[in-house]
Amino acid sequence: MNTWQSVRAEVLDRIRSGQWAPGELIPTEQELAVELGCARATVNRALRELADSGIVERRRKVGTRVATTPSRRTVLEISVIRQEIEATGAEYGYSLLECGSVTPPEHVAMALQIGSDRRVMVARLLYLANGRPHCAETIWLNLSALPPVESDNFRTASPHEWLARNVALTHGRFSILAEAAGVEAARSLQVQPSTPLLTIERTNWSNTVPVSYSRQSYPPGHRLISED
């Protein structure tokens, strides 16, 4: 337990096993540091990450408790790119460029809260609007948290559509950034390398378990619209 990732994994295991129930206060940072044989700062970092993900709630002078799970499961309605394209009146197109099982990069393992030696499924996708590139996406799926899935499941429907049909998604977390197009994204979107792209990173959750992490890149001129 000499890294915050290993402490986070241990805390997650105790929550998922029911050792610490929803709403229950967990041991203090100092108590966990002594029990796990690590620095208090290591525990603090692990709990901050879990709080940012909505798994635990932290309050000053009160402590850290497991986030309460509603008695009635709420299911997240995720917007899929098919709907986004068809809403503009354009014809939707979709292509599965690549799909397979891999060990995840460090940032993906961190987003999915799994060990870097675990296998995940990765798919590279291209979405078209009226035959022109609309969005290039790479998505990683947490195989240990999903029903059996194969690459053939994504030949005609995107992984997001498959998730919406097969998994009770409860919440998501996303970030928006601007970045220069890499070689693969530039080729897929038919732009020059280093062209500024709008990129959206999203992690989808089912209760306390992250099930997918994706990066969607859009060419210049894309407008992001959100409705309350």
Side-chain angles (χ1 to χ4, degrees):
M1 293 294 168
N2 58 352
T3 67
W4 67 266
Q5 291 96 333
S6 57
V7 172
R8 179 187 61 187
E10 174 65 21
V11 173
L12 273 173
D13 284 344
R14 296 186 187 188
I15 292 173
R16 291 169 182 168
S17 69
Q19 181 178 342
W20 294 335
E24 180 181 345
L25 280 171
I26 71 174
T28 66
E29 290 181 5
Q30 185 59 39
E31 289 170 338
L32 284 173
V34 171
E35 178 187 351
L36 300 177
C38 62
R40 180 173 176 175
T42 304
V43 176
N44 178 274
R45 172 71 187 278
L47 295 182
R48 279 194 287 115
E49 289 288 327
L50 291 172
D52 288 344
S53 301
I55 294 175
V56 300
E57 299 170 348
R58 310 189 74 195
R59 293 187 180 178
R60 251 184 107 187
K61 298 184 179 180
V62 175
T64 301
R65 68 176 69 245
V66 181
T68 303
T69 302
S71 57
R72 179 178 62 84
R73 172 179 281 182
T74 58
V75 178
L76 176 70
E77 292 289 340
I78 63 171
S79 174
V80 295
I81 296 180
R82 178 194 296 271
Q83 298 166 349
E84 176 184 304
I85 292 173
E86 292 178 345
T88 68
E91 180 182 358
Y92 171 80
Y94 163 80
S95 178
L96 176 64
L97 304 178
E98 183 181 354
C99 188
S101 174
V102 299
T103 53
E106 183 177 354
H107 72 284
V108 174
M110 186 179 300
L112 295 178
Q113 298 190 356
I114 59 175
S116 57
D117 59 338
R118 301 282 291 275
R119 304 290 290 184
V120 299
M121 180 171 283
V122 60
R124 290 183 53 244
L125 322 162
L126 178 64
Y127 301 90
L128 306 171
N130 288 336
R132 295 190 58 80
H134 176 82
C135 173
E137 178 179 40
T138 302
I139 182 170
W140 293 265
L141 301 173
N142 183 357
L143 294 175
S144 62
L146 295 173
V149 56
E150 299 178 356
S151 57
D152 285 346
N153 293 117
F154 309 139
R155 294 296 175 190
T156 58
S158 74
H160 288 291
E161 292 179 272
W162 183 89
L163 285 169
R165 290 195 303 266
N166 292 279
V167 182
L169 302 173
T170 53
H171 61 287
R173 182 184 181 192
F174 69 93
S175 58
I176 301 172
L177 59 150
E179 64 178 3
V183 174
E184 287 186 356
R187 184 186 304 118
S188 297
L189 296 174
Q190 299 179 10
V191 299
Q192 293 296 318
S194 299
T195 298
L197 303 179
L198 171 68
T199 297
I200 299 175
E201 297 179 337
R202 177 166 188 138
T203 306
N204 286 321
W205 296 71
S206 181
N207 292 321
T208 62
V209 182
V211 297
S212 69
Y213 168 73
S214 62
R215 300 185 86 250
Q216 300 169 345
S217 296
Y218 295 84
H222 180 78
R223 175 172 293 180
L224 182 64
I225 300 175
S226 176
E227 295 184 1
D228 294 332

